[in-house]
Amino acid sequence: MFRSPAAALLRRLAPRLSGGTVGSGSSTRRTLPPHIAPSVPSRFSSTPTSSPPPSSSVGERDDEAEDHELPGAPENSGARLSISVDRSGLYSPPVPTIIVAHEFFDALPIHQFQKGSRGWCEKMVDLAEDSSFRFVLSPQPTASLIFLSKHCQWASSEELEKVEQIEVCPKAMEITEQIADRISSDGGGAIIVDYGKNGIVSDSLQAIRKHKFVHILDGPGSADLSAYVDFAAIKHSAEEVSDDISVHGPMTQSQLLGSLGINFRVEALMQNCDEKQAESLRTGYWRLVGDGEAPFWEGPDDQTPIGMGTRYLAMAIVNKKQGSPVPFE
């Protein structure tokens, strides 16, 4: 018998409940267990902000658009094309921006560095004598060292002593700076959800083909590549842009969804569903907020639900005028 919180979840979500079975015509009531994800906070709103004044500039631009006849159309056919190319008023005045980046940053290219006798050297791809690909260390300093230098400034000496490899993602740092700059000037916020670490990422680059891990250099272009997101680097990159923005988190996906009320939502759905729907809710809930393989699974091993509640992290970047996002309070 399972004694973990996950076991309590499954016992409460079990298909057989007292008072009848599904399909028997009885009023079977399904309930959630003590929650895996944390409960929702008592306050659902952050500091109110004023709405931007309405602007009719876009509509006015459309009204001013010139009509052009389509090439080759008869004179009286009525076929006309309305074109507007002046979009200068689209963001005038500036409006708050909402950005959602879900599994976006993990797809950006990374650079790997390895500690050696010459210090930190970037890993490069070389062509071996048999025409196969192989990893080698750069014999000379590379341009990406400037980003490694920034990472080392952010990390503690204890962290650096523990790792032999470091991954950096210059593109993630660049995009984060652009996001923070936009939010600083126009207001709004960004939510970033991805699998990663809140600290130095050492060696996470991986290739997956047909649901199986393969070597990074095995058949380039035939596998999906991904790497852990360095949330610490995102945080530092955003905070260096402006004092008008604040960064919250990261927190686990389980904590985020718990704060947003996933437990109450699932419990409500379980009140009126058939057994197939209940099974879908159980497995879906576990994948979102659980940790590792689902202990209740009795189906094929290759279909075991894997909980990602602690593997995925969430971070918010907001304009300070907007207040603190509810889940991060």
Side-chain angles (χ1 to χ4, degrees), residues 52-112:
S55 172
S56 59
S57 59
V58 177
E60 292 171 355
R61 295 290 183 183
D62 290 340
D63 294 339
E64 296 170 1
E66 297 181 2
D67 290 334
H68 298 272
E69 293 185 4
L70 292 173
E75 183 177 354
N76 298 323
S77 66
R80 306 178 71 83
L81 178 65
S82 180
I83 301 175
S84 177
V85 296
D86 186 351
R87 302 183 185 274
S88 60
L90 189 59
Y91 299 111
S92 178
V95 295
T97 301
I98 302 298
I99 298 171
V100 179
H102 180 251
E103 290 195 51
F104 168 76
F105 283 90
D106 74 283
L108 299 178
I110 65 166
H111 296 257
Q112 288 186 325

Side-chain angles (χ1 to χ4, degrees), residues 105 108-111 147 151 167-174 230 233:
F105 283 90
L108 299 178
I110 65 166
H111 296 257
F147 297 99
H151 273 63
E167 292 176 355
V168 300
C169 184
K171 181 58 67 174
M173 298 165 66
E174 175 187 339
D230 186 342

Side-chain angles (χ1 to χ4, degrees), residues 90-236:
L90 189 59
Y91 299 111
S92 178
V95 295
T97 301
I98 302 298
I99 298 171
V100 179
H102 180 251
E103 290 195 51
F104 168 76
F105 283 90
D106 74 283
L108 299 178
I110 65 166
H111 296 257
Q112 288 186 325
F113 293 87
Q114 183 170 315
K115 187 185 299 182
S117 58
R118 295 182 286 112
W120 290 101
C121 301
E122 184 168 2
K123 291 175 67 175
M124 315 291 285
V125 178
D126 188 28
L127 194 63
E129 293 182 358
D130 61 357
S131 297
S132 62
F133 292 109
R134 64 175 182 177
F135 284 118
V136 297
L137 296 182
S138 172
Q140 302 292 336
T142 59
S144 301
L145 274 174
I146 186 173
F147 297 99
L148 176 64
S149 176
K150 295 190 69 172
H151 273 63
C152 292
Q153 292 175 9
W154 296 333
S156 66
S157 56
E158 291 78 10
E159 285 183 289
L160 295 173
E161 291 175 358
K162 295 178 181 178
V163 296
E164 296 295 323
Q165 295 188 72
I166 294 180
E167 292 176 355
V168 300
C169 184
K171 181 58 67 174
M173 298 165 66
E174 175 187 339
I175 292 176
T176 299
E177 291 171 355
Q178 294 173 353
I179 290 174
D181 182 66
R182 179 62 181 271
I183 292 173
S184 171
S185 61
D186 296 350
I191 179 73
I192 301 168
V193 181
D194 226 314
Y195 54 91
K197 292 181 61 179
N198 187 27
I200 290 179
V201 178
S202 179
D203 186 18
S204 71
L205 182 63
Q206 57 190 15
I208 302 175
R209 183 190 303 125
K210 296 180 179 179
H211 308 291
K212 295 183 178 180
F213 291 105
V214 295
H215 192 274
I216 299 297
L217 300 180
D218 180 16
S222 65
D224 293 329
L225 301 181
S226 65
Y228 272 23
V229 174
D230 186 342
F231 279 88
I234 291 178
K235 177 181 176 68
H236 287 292

